[in-house]
Amino acid sequence: MRALPLLVALVLSLAGCGAIPGLPYRPADPPTPSRAASPATSPSPSQSPSQSPLPDASATARALTVAQARTAMRTWVATYNAAIKKRKWWRSNARLDALFVEGALYEGVLERSREGFGWKPAHKPINPAGIPTIYVPRPERQPPAGDWFIAKATYRDTKGHSRPHLLAFLRSPGQSFRLAVATPLHWGQQMPKPLLDADGYITDMDDAMAAAVAEEYRNFWNGDRKKEGDSGYRLAKDSYSRKAFPQVNKGMYVGFAGRGSVFGFRTASGGMFFLFALLNDAKSVNNVLSEAVLVPKGSKAVQELGGSWFS
């Protein structure tokens, strides 16, 4: 998984290459609107959702516990580590669909692009150190068509540095959890403490704020600076994206057409935490940006905690 500090080399290498043949652009079994993926935070119309009918919401009425989510993550990690040992694993759409959903499907785009340039595969095994921290919403706050959780796990990045990573997993009834978003935390940043209810579940996020913050990132990165702040929010002055943008926006950058689901919760200090991915148009698949951000209580300045290209 490519960390944001590598974005310049990656964008200059891939910008303008267009869609990668053989990898259909489709969020497999996209979530239906709900607290986890509300009308404000669900995938945008620019995506190509599956045409299969939505499952019965009662199929996911059972509660997802922290222990079950932690087990699901361990299962996914084992499946992922086994899959990337396969020769040209990124060429199998079935293998990609078994591992990834929404923005994380671009993991295959990344490796197919590297293959085209004659580069070695970038993906490395994930071996979490210690016990991952799990964030689970209340059962009634889960999407009718599935459920989700966020995990914080410490493991080595592609450069071999041990650092905390944030991962959002999503599943549809009858399927296993798949990775939807992933990003390492920026150096020096900490995951905010969530506001938990009496049963230990994370409390629901502000959907309107989630949509506005995700749109602000899209406004900012799409290069039209006149639109910056139109969402009502603005990237903090010390945001990592503010530092990286001038290096990227040199005529070769392709903007984002939409976003995937927004995952998040209220923080113990009264703010909001969001984890989401911005996506290219289906005809111009060359990058995806995953973001972990914090909006402090009473603030309109979005603080960037982590960011990663191609999830």
Side-chain angles (χ1 to χ4, degrees):
M1 299 182 183
R2 307 294 285 176
L4 191 58
L6 298 181
L7 64 89
V8 176
L10 190 58
V11 171
L12 294 181
S13 297
L14 301 184
C17 68
I20 306 301
L23 180 61
Y25 175 72
R26 63 197 186 288
D29 300 312
T32 50
S34 73
R35 282 288 180 175
S38 69
T41 60
S42 59
S44 67
S46 64
Q47 300 183 42
S48 302
S50 168
Q51 297 301 312
S52 59
L54 293 175
D56 185 351
S58 63
T60 58
R62 65 189 185 282
L64 174 67
T65 67
V66 169
Q68 290 170 340
R70 188 172 286 120
T71 297
M73 178 186 169
R74 284 198 294 263
T75 299
W76 182 88
V77 167
T79 304
Y80 168 87
N81 287 343
I84 63 173
K85 293 180 180 178
K86 305 292 184 180
R87 185 175 181 275
K88 295 189 177 182
W89 61 270
W90 53 88
R91 284 289 169 184
S92 169
N93 288 332
R95 189 169 290 133
L96 292 174
D97 276 339
L99 288 170
F100 308 117
V101 67
E102 294 194 359
L105 275 172
Y106 282 73
E107 298 285 5
V109 174
L110 172 60
E111 292 298 10
R112 293 182 187 193
S113 298
R114 293 184 65 85
E115 180 185 21
F117 284 108
W119 298 344
K120 294 181 179 180
H123 284 69
K124 304 295 182 183
I126 295 175
N127 298 299
I131 301 176
T133 302
I134 304 296
Y135 307 86
V136 180
R138 292 196 64 82
E140 59 268 27
R141 298 298 187 183
Q142 294 281 17
D147 43 14
W148 63 270
F149 67 91
I150 296 173
K152 183 185 74 171
T154 299
Y155 56 88
R156 295 186 182 278
D157 60 20
T158 55
K159 287 189 173 183
H161 302 301
S162 181
R163 59 195 302 192
H165 289 71
L166 303 179
L167 308 96
F169 291 93
L170 183 67
R171 73 174 174 185
S172 297
Q175 295 186 1
S176 300
F177 276 103
R178 291 175 287 177
L179 182 68
V181 186
T183 177
L185 285 175
H186 292 322
W187 294 108
Q189 295 290 352
Q190 301 291 328
M191 183 70 168
K193 292 182 178 180
L195 176 63
L196 302 178
D197 65 16
D199 297 318
Y201 292 103
I202 57 175
T203 48
D204 59 307
M205 63 185 175
D206 183 323
D207 288 338
M209 184 186 296
V213 169
E215 183 63 16
E216 180 55 30
Y217 262 86
R218 198 169 74 91
N219 289 343
F220 180 88
W221 278 102
N222 278 1
D224 186 349
R225 306 308 287 266
K226 293 181 180 179
K227 291 183 178 180
E228 186 183 354
D230 281 359
S231 70
Y233 293 85
R234 187 179 293 271
L235 274 62
K237 293 182 179 179
D238 60 350
S239 167
Y240 194 92
S241 286
R242 283 197 179 280
K243 299 175 183 178
F245 183 87
Q247 297 175 283
V248 175
N249 191 36
K250 295 182 178 179
M252 299 181 68
Y253 176 70
V254 178
F256 296 106
R259 63 183 183 277
S261 302
V262 181
F263 308 92
F265 53 77
R266 296 177 186 272
T267 69
S269 60
M272 290 285 170
F273 169 80
F274 304 118
L275 181 62
F276 58 90
L278 297 182
L279 310 170
N280 282 157
D281 183 271
K283 297 180 180 179
S284 183
V285 178
N286 68 347
N287 52 50
V288 63
L289 175 65
S290 296
E291 288 290 346
V293 301
L294 170 68
V295 180
K297 181 180 180 180
S299 175
K300 294 291 186 178
V302 182
Q303 298 180 6
E304 186 173 300
L305 305 181
S308 176
W309 285 78
F310 292 93
S311 290

